[in-house]
């Protein structure tokens, strides 16, 4: 399924998912359909999954975030939230026909993290009893324009940042060694130790997260928007590579087994954070 998800998101037909663009909107509808199929409640505008915002200048078309959530099972804790996030936009591009590749597919950046987010959403949605706290899934756009989608979500969604206890962000998790991923976080993070303990409890994953406290890098993805709101955040990342922000960030280079492992780790971390006393 990971292969199908990343192929659908980063296919040439999505033209690099620039913010805003008709192709970005089509991918947003695709993500919303996955959320609905997983049993997530809509968390966007007007009872739907999409949340629209001004990504660029006034008068240009709006761009969408996609928001779904699972209500917590504990009457006292369900009003607190663990938020999982991944951006699905990239740099856009044009299709000039055979022999000219001007499409920034963004397979690793960030079809990989989006696919992992969708896998986690399906897994949480399939739980017979949800975690004690509510779990919110944010597929953000306009990350490439300066985290604009996640900043808007934190300012205008139905979920209060004051009630968010943690953010787990997935961005560029499909390259590099299969059994290795960075866990980037602020130096004062309190949830990092919890996440590392969860990884140690699941050796069957064969995935060893490298703890990287870095106050600056932690704000380079949507985790930064949460950090600016005072919300503890983790940022899972495979590291930069030569294809970063190049048209060569193609599907053929992805390590889908690694994406699957990161998704499983993200699931266990989210469930632990959402279920702790």
């Amino acid at each position: 399924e990971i292969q199908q998800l990343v192929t659908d998101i980063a296919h040439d037909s999505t033209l690099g998912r620039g913010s805003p663009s008709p192709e970005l909107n089509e991918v947003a509808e695709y993500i919303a359909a996955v959320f609905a199929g997983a049993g997530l409640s809509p968390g966007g505008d007007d009872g739907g999954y999409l949340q629209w915002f001004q990504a660029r200048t006034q008068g240009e078309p709006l761009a969408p975030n996609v928001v779904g959530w699972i209500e917590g099972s504990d009457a006292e804790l369900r009003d607190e939230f663990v938020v999982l996030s991944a951006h699905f936009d990239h740099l856009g591009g044009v299709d000039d026909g055979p022999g000219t590749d001007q499409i920034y597919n963004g397979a690793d950046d960030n079809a990989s993290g989006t696919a992992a987010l969708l896998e986690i959403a399906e897994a949480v949605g399939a739980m017979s009893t949800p975690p004690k706290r509510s779990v919110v899934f944010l597929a953000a756009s306009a990350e490439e324009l300066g985290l604009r989608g996640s900043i808007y979500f934190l300012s205008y969604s139905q979920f209060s940042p004051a009630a968010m206890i943690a953010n787990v962000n997935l961005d560029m998790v499909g390259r590099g060694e299969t059994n290795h991923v960075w866990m980037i976080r602020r130096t004062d993070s309190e949830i990092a130790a919890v996440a590392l303990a969860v990884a140690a409890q699941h050796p069957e994953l064969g995935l060893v997260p490298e703890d990287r406290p870095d106050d600056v890098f932690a704000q380079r993805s949507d985790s930064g928007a949460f950090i600016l709101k005072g919300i503890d955040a983790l940022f899972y990342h495979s590291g930069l590579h030569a294809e970063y922000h190049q048209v060569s960030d193609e599907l053929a280079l992805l390590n889908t087994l690694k994406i699957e492992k990161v998704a499983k780790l993200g699931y266990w971390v989210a469930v632990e954070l959402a279920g702790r006393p």
Side-chain angles (χ1 to χ4, degrees), residues 72-160:
S73 58
D74 186 281
E76 294 184 2
L77 294 178
R78 64 171 54 123
D79 291 332
E80 296 180 359
F81 307 102
V82 172
V83 184
L84 287 95
S85 60
H87 77 91
F88 67 99
D89 65 305
H90 197 49
L91 302 179
V94 295
D95 184 0
D96 284 343
T100 58
D101 186 0
Q102 298 184 53
I103 299 173
Y104 290 82
N105 298 85
D108 191 30
D109 186 14
N110 184 36
S112 65
T114 305
L117 180 78
L118 296 180
E119 286 280 279
I120 299 170
E122 291 181 340
V124 175
M127 295 176 68
S128 56
T129 302
K132 294 178 181 180
R133 293 180 178 83
S134 298
V135 183
V136 180
F137 295 86
L138 167 66
S141 67
E143 188 269 358
E144 302 289 4
L145 300 179
L147 318 184
R148 293 187 181 182
S150 51
I151 289 171
Y152 185 88
F153 164 79
L154 285 162
S155 298
Y156 297 104
S157 82
Q158 69 188 67
F159 308 101
S160 169

